């Protein structure tokens, strides 16, 4: 390279501060050093970079174009320095996390937005899973953290968030024609209607959670897809309140009046893949997750009673 990053940094300082005197203070160099550096740059590049108008130095058209490219190099160099400092401090270069789709999606987005601000050099691998998918990723060593239901043994876990599930359908669904407040439905009444089930994302062990053994079963891979189909009257399902709270409040979906079994709950746990090597990035990520859940969990509590 003909021109060093330090020389580009001095040119940028002259432009940003409007002159050599203020630039010299900003970069802790003498004015003569900056003058000499820029003259040398112009000589090596054979391009005029600055022109003085009045008391201020301004970029020429060529200088403006070249500095725009150089600023990308300066930013990249600064990122390398920041990354080196993070690695020296023990910050993980990458964190993988498996999150069950029943966990509120706005929570994970809020947490990762804040994490990205605090740890810009750490890459995130996010796996959105269903049923035993998160626990399988944890057991196979593919993730550092997992948000999953209970039952994953030999891993450190902390209670994180209680998810409520309710049986719902579109208000226009024909099953509501066969019930009344005096005579709510029983589970057997549902077997004659199409049930939507979300496929277990685990590859080695698949669970049919909540399936009533009805012949009319449709299986999808994403909870959002199931909710969309239910809203169109294509079937019923037990769906986490975290995915349908707004639809319930707006009357787009309606709880199915069952004598028993219309609702259930599951405690999501936060699992650590390695108990003895929790780095600062993982520690901060878990703090943000707990903080987000603690502050806003009331949004999803008693949802059915509020709707009624």
């Amino acid at each position: 390279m003909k021109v060093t990053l330090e020389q580009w940094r001095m040119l940028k300082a002259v432009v940003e501060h409007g002159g050599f005197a203020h630039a010299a203070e900003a970069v802790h160099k003498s004015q003569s050093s900056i003058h000499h550096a820029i003259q040398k740059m112009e000589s090596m590049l054979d391009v005029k970079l600055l022109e003085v108008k009045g008391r201020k130095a301004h970029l020429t058209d060529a200088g403006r174009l070249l500095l725009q490219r150089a600023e990308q190099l300066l930013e990249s160099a600064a990122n390398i320095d920041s990354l080196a400092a993070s690695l020296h401090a023990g910050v993980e270069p990458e964190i993988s996390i498996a999150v069950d789709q029943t966990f509120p999606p706005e929570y994970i987005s809020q947490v990762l937005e804040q994490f990205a601000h605090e740890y810009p050099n750490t890459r995130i691998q996010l796996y959105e899973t269903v049923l035993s998918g998160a626990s399988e990723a944890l057991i196979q060593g593919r993730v550092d953290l997992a948000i999953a239901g209970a039952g994953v043994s030999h891993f450190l876990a902390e209670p994180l968030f209680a998810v409520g599930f309710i049986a719902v359908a579109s208000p226009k669904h024909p099953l509501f024609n066969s019930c009344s407040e005096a005579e709510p439905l029983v589970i057997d009444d549902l077997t004659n209607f199409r049930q939507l089930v979300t496929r277990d994302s685990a590859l080695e062990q698949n669970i049919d959670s909540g399936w009533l053994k009805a012949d009319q079963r449709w299986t999808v891979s994403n909870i959002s897809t199931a909710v969309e189909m239910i809203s169109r009257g294509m079937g019923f399902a037990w769906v986490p309140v975290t995915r349908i709270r707004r639809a319930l409040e707006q009357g787009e979906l309606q709880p199915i009046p069952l004598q028993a079994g219309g609702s259930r709950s599951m405690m999501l746990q936060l699992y650590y893949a390695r108990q003895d090597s929790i780095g600062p990035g993982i520690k901060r990520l878990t703090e943000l997750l707990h903080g987000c859940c603690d502050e806003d969990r009331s949004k999803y509590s008693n949802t059915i009673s509020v709707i009624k």
Side-chain angles (χ1 to χ4, degrees):
M1 294 176 61
K2 293 182 178 181
V3 181
T4 67
L5 289 175
E6 181 64 14
Q7 288 172 318
W8 286 118
R9 188 169 74 93
M10 286 189 279
L11 175 63
K12 182 180 179 183
V14 171
V15 174
E16 289 181 344
H17 297 279
F20 291 91
H22 293 299
E25 295 177 4
V27 299
H28 307 291
K29 301 281 187 180
S30 65
Q31 290 189 49
S32 60
S33 296
I34 297 179
H35 269 290
H36 177 72
I38 294 178
Q39 288 174 356
K40 188 175 181 180
M41 292 171 66
E42 292 178 330
S43 175
M44 288 188 295
L45 297 173
D46 196 21
V47 171
K48 187 67 174 176
L49 300 174
L50 288 176
E51 56 184 358
V52 179
K53 296 180 180 179
R55 294 185 177 181
K56 288 189 176 182
H58 299 270
L59 286 169
T60 63
D61 291 340
R64 185 176 298 104
L65 178 60
L66 289 171
L67 184 57
Q68 286 177 350
R69 299 292 181 88
E71 284 176 338
Q72 298 174 15
L73 295 175
L74 292 170
E75 183 178 354
S76 297
N79 289 338
I80 292 173
D81 290 343
S82 176
L83 176 59
S86 296
L87 294 173
H88 177 72
V91 177
E92 305 89 334
E94 181 174 290
I95 296 175
S96 299
I97 177 171
V99 180
D100 193 283
Q101 288 184 24
T102 60
F103 189 71
E106 67 269 29
Y107 285 11
I108 197 67
S109 297
Q110 177 181 333
V111 165
L112 292 180
E113 180 182 19
Q114 179 62 31
F115 184 83
H117 176 72
E118 297 181 17
Y119 292 85
N121 297 312
T122 298
R123 300 186 302 273
I124 293 292
Q125 291 279 359
L126 178 63
Y127 299 91
E128 297 172 283
T129 61
V130 178
L131 295 172
S132 57
S135 59
E136 181 183 83
L138 187 71
I139 293 170
Q140 293 180 350
R142 291 188 281 116
V143 296
D144 303 296
L145 291 172
I147 297 176
V152 188
S153 58
H154 307 298
F155 288 94
L156 178 66
E158 301 167 350
L160 185 62
F161 188 84
V163 178
F165 292 76
I166 56 175
V168 295
S170 166
K172 300 178 181 180
H173 195 283
L175 67 82
F176 289 110
N177 299 329
S178 57
C179 65
S180 65
E181 293 184 5
E183 297 184 10
L185 300 172
V186 296
I187 291 294
D188 289 343
D189 293 327
L190 302 181
T191 57
N192 295 323
F193 299 97
R194 181 183 300 116
Q195 181 180 1
L196 294 169
V197 178
T198 307
R199 180 182 296 107
D200 194 332
S201 61
L203 299 178
E204 296 184 359
Q205 180 181 1
N206 291 282
I207 299 174
D208 280 325
S209 178
W211 180 38
L212 301 180
K213 306 300 180 183
D215 292 335
Q216 298 185 58
R217 179 180 74 163
W218 284 14
T219 304
V220 299
S221 299
N222 193 291
I223 293 176
S224 297
T225 304
V227 171
E228 175 66 22
M229 291 183 174
I230 296 167
S231 300
R232 293 176 178 271
M234 298 168 65
F236 73 92
W238 274 262
V239 184
V241 176
T242 54
R243 291 286 183 154
I244 57 171
R245 182 180 62 88
R246 186 174 290 104
L248 287 168
E249 293 173 347
Q250 295 177 353
E252 297 171 0
L253 294 177
Q254 183 173 326
I256 300 173
L258 289 167
Q259 288 185 7
S263 64
R264 58 185 175 87
S265 64
M266 175 182 68
M267 174 60 71
L268 289 175
Q269 307 277 343
L270 180 60
Y271 292 90
Y272 298 83
R274 291 170 292 279
Q275 302 180 20
D276 56 348
S277 59
I278 298 175
I282 292 178
K283 182 179 180 181
R284 181 55 178 153
L285 194 57
T286 59
E287 289 174 353
L288 291 171
L289 284 166
H290 279 295
C292 185
C293 292
D294 292 341
E295 289 177 6
D296 211 18
R297 70 174 71 249
S298 61
K299 179 193 298 184
Y300 294 105
S301 62
N302 303 318
T303 299
I304 300 177
S305 61
V306 170
I307 295 170
K308 290 181 179 180

